[in-house]
């Protein structure tokens, strides 16, 4: 052991991370004078779960750390901008019986964009895949979303989701005022996803399978009048997704999804719904199509701007003959009824309570009840 | 001579003061001002302060908030309260990577910034000087 090593061992363990954090703060403060938006924002949430599910992939009854989400959105010039988001997660969705609750750091978004006009911004990097409403509106912002949990089928890739929640590629987005409202569009192209041991992987390190994902979302938002704030639209994407078990390719599936969504806040109501229809086929076989579907409907009502009772019904019906759902950890059909209430203690702090009954018997699963209490903040 | 005022008279005096002062506070004028020559219309104001419009032709718009006049501006122009405005910008920043307007402390600070920065837009409650353009008075 060298003298230098001995000297380093005498340094208290908290010194290095503390100095690193102080350095980051100093750099941020100095840089802020030059780069607009270099302020760290984020979300954090903790919750308690009580479940009757046996071998639940989300873990057992008890207190849980949800996630810590940090993001910055620097405007580097008038036209060039960036969006970077890191998340520390503690509760990965795992196969029943596996260990979970281990912390993991994910680069959620790393995207650099150019503002061509108010009608067009082009981003490149890893972004939230633009489909439906929930995935781009709330994502890891637990304090923003009305319920404790996302609809299960819209879960993150490593939490039982059945859709690629992220894409690594290029994304064009914009809006234009037309008629009594605003036309919105998103179009993207990126690395095709793959399934690795039951989890969708969006391939951050290159397109190993050379399959391209592409998709689009078109919408119209009413401004003023009886339909003020109603945003409705359609979405769809297509890609070949291969399944790998321990590195061995076991299935190749052409995945095609189309659907629709709506979000509306008339007065103190918030209403939202999303629908997805899958038409998947084994790649290169000319075999039969396997049709599946997923949807949710949710209604919330805000009393005094503080208390929001809510109800949601969600269901997916997934073909087990489909090589895509066959291997996904979350690829089993279910239906769930959920009721809950959200209390906004402050504009930045929400306390949420909800309870659900979930039925997964269609594909041989369990029927169970769950309740959650969550405290979620933004800063 | 010693002036004595009874409790009832004090009550009446306070009521009169409040009734005369309240309208002045509630109906303070809000002037939305822009850098001279910036090509915007009054219809653009709401879109700018909600992050939906970022460019005036090829010029980047630089909206400024004014903490001394914000409540009045939000109420009259955007029909929002401070909490909803903050929530709107949290969502905008998180979803689209667009940052909220820079906050200035007073009319004087807003005027000083607007008159010297192309693309600047702000709002004040006192009649502005002639070296900025008044887009609309609310």
């Amino acid at each position: 052991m060298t003298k230098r090593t001995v000297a380093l061992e005498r340094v208290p363990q908290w010194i290095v991370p503390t100095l690193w954090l102080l350095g980051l703060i100093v750099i941020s403060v100095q840089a802020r004078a030059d780069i607009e938006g270099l302020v760290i924002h984020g979300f954090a949430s903790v919750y308690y779960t009580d479940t009757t599910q046996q071998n639940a992939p989300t873990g057992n009854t008890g207190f849980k750390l949800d996630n810590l989400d940090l993001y910055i959105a620097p405007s580097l010039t008038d036209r060039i901008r960036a969006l970077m988001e890191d998340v520390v997660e503690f509760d990965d969705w795992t196969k029943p019986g596996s260990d979970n609750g281990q912390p993991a750091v994910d680069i959620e978004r790393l995207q650099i964009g150019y503002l061509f006009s108010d009608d067009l911004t082009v981003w490149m990097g890893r972004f939230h895949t633009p489909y439906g409403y929930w995935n781009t509106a709330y994502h890891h912002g637990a304090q923003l979303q009305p319920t404790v949990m996302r609809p299960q089928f819209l879960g993150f890739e490593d939490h039982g989701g059945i859709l690629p929640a992220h894409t690594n590629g290029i994304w064009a987005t914009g809006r234009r005022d037309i008629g009594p409202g605003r036309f919105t569009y998103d179009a993207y192209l990126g690395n095709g996803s793959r399934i690795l041991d039951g989890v969708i992987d969006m391939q951050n390190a290159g397109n190993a399978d050379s399959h391209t994902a592409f998709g689009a979302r078109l919408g119209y938002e009413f401004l003023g009048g009886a339909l003020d704030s109603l945003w409705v639209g359609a979405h769809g994407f297509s890609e070949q997704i291969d399944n790998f078990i321990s590195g061995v390719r076991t299935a190749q599936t052409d995945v095609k999804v189309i659907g629709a969504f709506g979000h509306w806040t008339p007065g103190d109501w918030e209403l939202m719904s999303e629908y997805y229809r899958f038409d998947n086929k084994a790649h290169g076989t000319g075999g039969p199509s396997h049709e599946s579907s997923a949807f949710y409907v949710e209604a919330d009502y805000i009393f005094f701007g503080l208390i929001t009772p809510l109800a949601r019904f969600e269901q997916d019906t997934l073909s087990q003959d489909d090589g895509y759902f066959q291997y996904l950890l979350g690829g089993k059909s279910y239906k769930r009824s959920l009721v809950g209430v959200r209390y906004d203690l402050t504009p930045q702090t929400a306390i949420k309570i909800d309870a659900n009954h979930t039925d997964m018997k269609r594909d041989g699963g369990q029927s169970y009840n769950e309740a959650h209490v969550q405290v979620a903040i933004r800063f | 001579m010693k002036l004595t005022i009874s409790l009832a008279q004090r009550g009446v005096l306070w009521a009169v003061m409040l009734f005369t002062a309240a309208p002045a506070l509630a109906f303070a004028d809000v002037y939305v001002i822009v850098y001279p020559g910036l090509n915007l219309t009054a219809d653009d104001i709401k879109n700018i302060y909600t992050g939906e419009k970022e460019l005036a032709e090829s010029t980047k718009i630089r909206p400024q908030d004014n903490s001394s006049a914000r409540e009045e501006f939000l109420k009259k122009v955007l029909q929002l309260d401070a909490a909803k405005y903050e929530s709107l910008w949290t969502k905008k920043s998180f979803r689209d990577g667009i940052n909220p307007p820079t906050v200035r402390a007073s009319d004087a600070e807003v005027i000083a910034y607007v008159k010297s920065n192309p693309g600047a837009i702000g709002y004040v409650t006192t009649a502005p000087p002639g070296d900025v353009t008044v887009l609309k008075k609310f």
Side-chain angles (χ1 to χ4, degrees):
Chain A
M1 189 178 287
T2 64
K3 284 181 182 177
R4 181 182 167 84
T5 309
V6 172
L8 279 174
E9 283 185 349
R10 286 177 187 158
V11 176
Q13 288 188 339
W14 53 269
I15 286 285
V16 173
T18 304
L19 288 174
W20 178 82
L21 188 62
L22 285 172
L24 189 69
I25 292 168
V26 169
I27 291 168
S28 296
V29 169
Q30 286 182 339
R32 197 186 169 192
D34 301 313
I35 302 176
E36 183 189 343
L38 204 59
V39 181
I40 297 175
H41 294 287
F43 301 93
S45 50
V46 293
Y47 65 106
Y48 178 84
T49 292
D50 193 343
T51 179
T52 62
Q53 187 181 17
Q54 302 298 310
N55 292 319
T58 50
N60 304 312
T61 291
F63 291 98
K64 298 182 180 184
L65 301 175
D66 195 7
N67 63 53
L68 169 61
D69 178 297
L70 301 172
Y71 70 95
I72 54 176
S75 292
L76 301 163
T77 70
D78 286 352
R79 304 281 185 152
I80 299 173
R81 59 185 46 161
L83 187 50
M84 291 163 274
E85 181 186 11
D86 293 347
V87 172
V88 182
E89 294 174 303
F90 298 94
D91 190 18
D92 281 352
W93 213 84
T94 58
K95 290 178 181 174
S98 304
D99 289 337
N100 60 11
Q102 301 302 313
V105 179
D106 278 346
I107 305 278
E108 278 296 313
R109 284 184 288 179
L110 177 49
Q111 55 187 83
I112 299 171
Y114 189 87
L115 174 70
F116 284 92
S117 70
D118 284 326
D119 301 340
L120 173 64
T121 300
V122 176
W123 295 94
M124 188 170 172
R126 176 172 150 145
F127 48 85
H128 295 159
T129 310
Y131 51 69
Y133 179 76
W134 201 289
N135 197 50
T136 49
Y138 303 130
H139 214 90
H140 273 293
Q143 192 270 346
L144 298 177
Q145 70 188 26
T147 50
V148 176
M149 299 291 176
R150 296 159 70 103
Q152 183 175 299
F153 71 85
L154 288 176
F156 304 116
E157 295 93 339
D158 53 359
H159 284 67
I162 61 172
L163 297 158
H166 305 83
T167 298
N168 188 10
I170 190 164
W171 168 32
T173 181
R175 63 224 172 232
R176 170 165 280 206
D177 290 353
I178 295 176
R182 180 178 294 138
F183 168 72
T184 65
Y185 75 91
D186 302 272
Y188 68 93
L189 189 75
N191 294 344
S193 298
R194 42 168 44 189
I195 301 173
L196 298 180
D197 298 321
V199 174
I200 297 172
D201 169 44
M202 71 298 299
Q203 299 208 85
N204 293 325
N207 198 353
D209 302 324
S210 301
H211 304 147
T212 303
F214 62 92
R217 176 176 65 178
L218 304 175
Y220 190 81
E221 183 182 6
F222 290 87
L223 302 172
L227 297 176
D228 184 41
S229 81
L230 173 62
W231 185 36
V232 290
H235 50 220
F237 69 85
S238 175
E239 58 181 300
Q240 180 185 329
I241 299 181
D242 295 355
N243 181 70
F244 293 84
I245 298 176
S246 301
V248 177
R249 193 189 315 259
T250 60
Q252 297 172 279
T253 310
D254 291 328
V255 177
K256 286 187 172 57
V257 180
I258 57 167
F261 67 93
H263 179 263
W264 195 18
T265 53
D268 292 322
W269 286 95
E270 181 172 25
L271 309 168
M272 61 184 115
S273 182
E274 295 177 43
Y275 172 76
Y276 298 81
R277 183 173 185 82
F278 295 80
D279 186 8
N280 298 348
K281 188 185 292 184
H283 178 71
T285 63
S289 290
H290 301 291
E291 294 184 351
S292 301
S293 65
F295 75 94
Y296 78 85
V297 289
E298 178 171 327
D300 314 341
Y301 188 84
I302 306 169
F303 287 98
F304 316 116
L306 296 174
I307 301 168
T308 309
L310 53 90
R312 183 168 76 212
F313 180 77
E314 51 184 275
Q315 176 175 332
D316 66 18
T317 308
L318 310 180
S319 169
Q320 297 305 296
D321 296 326
D322 185 335
Y324 179 64
F325 295 117
Q326 203 175 352
Y327 294 105
L328 271 180
L329 280 178
K332 305 291 185 193
S333 305
Y334 79 98
K335 55 185 173 183
R336 172 176 289 171
S337 305
L338 178 150
V339 292
V341 63
R342 171 192 171 114
Y343 175 61
D344 283 281
L345 190 63
T346 71
Q348 294 82 27
T349 309
I351 299 171
K352 300 183 251 179
I353 302 171
D354 62 38
N356 74 71
H357 174 73
T358 303
D359 181 352
M360 300 185 72
K361 287 181 176 172
R362 184 178 184 276
D363 292 331
Q366 305 171 44
S367 177
Y368 60 90
N369 299 316
E370 276 182 332
H372 305 287
V373 179
Q374 183 188 55
V375 181
I377 61 169
R378 72 166 191 251
F379 49 90
Chain B
M1 188 176 74
K2 189 178 177 183
L3 182 65
T4 56
I5 302 175
S6 71
L7 200 60
Q9 286 170 322
R10 283 185 189 176
V12 170
L13 192 61
W14 274 110
V16 170
M17 287 168 63
L18 278 173
F19 275 108
T20 51
L25 291 172
F27 298 109
D29 290 330
V30 175
Y31 301 84
V32 176
I33 57 174
V34 298
Y35 181 81
L38 188 62
N39 188 14
L40 292 173
T41 68
D43 292 339
D44 294 326
I45 296 169
K46 188 169 184 178
N47 278 341
I48 291 167
Y49 277 92
T50 53
E52 300 295 339
K53 184 172 178 63
E54 298 181 81
L55 295 169
E57 297 175 331
S58 61
T59 304
K60 180 75 164 61
I61 302 168
R62 304 177 192 286
Q64 307 295 303
D65 265 331
N66 179 348
S67 58
S68 69
R70 190 156 84 161
E71 190 179 336
E72 199 69 16
F73 173 77
L74 293 179
K75 190 169 61 180
K76 281 187 169 178
V77 182
L78 302 187
Q79 288 86 47
L80 292 172
D81 60 31
K84 284 185 177 169
Y85 184 64
E86 189 210 349
S87 175
L88 180 154
W89 274 106
T90 297
K91 292 172 183 170
K92 200 74 191 165
S93 171
F94 180 65
R95 295 169 185 174
D96 300 334
I98 301 171
N99 291 294
T102 306
V103 181
R104 308 278 164 192
S106 64
D107 286 3
E109 280 191 22
V110 171
I111 291 166
Y113 184 85
V114 169
K115 73 180 180 186
S116 54
N117 287 279
I121 177 171
Y123 52 86
V124 294
T125 51
T126 51
D131 47 4
V132 296
T133 301
V134 176
L135 193 60
K136 187 166 183 180
K137 177 182 168 186
F138 292 90

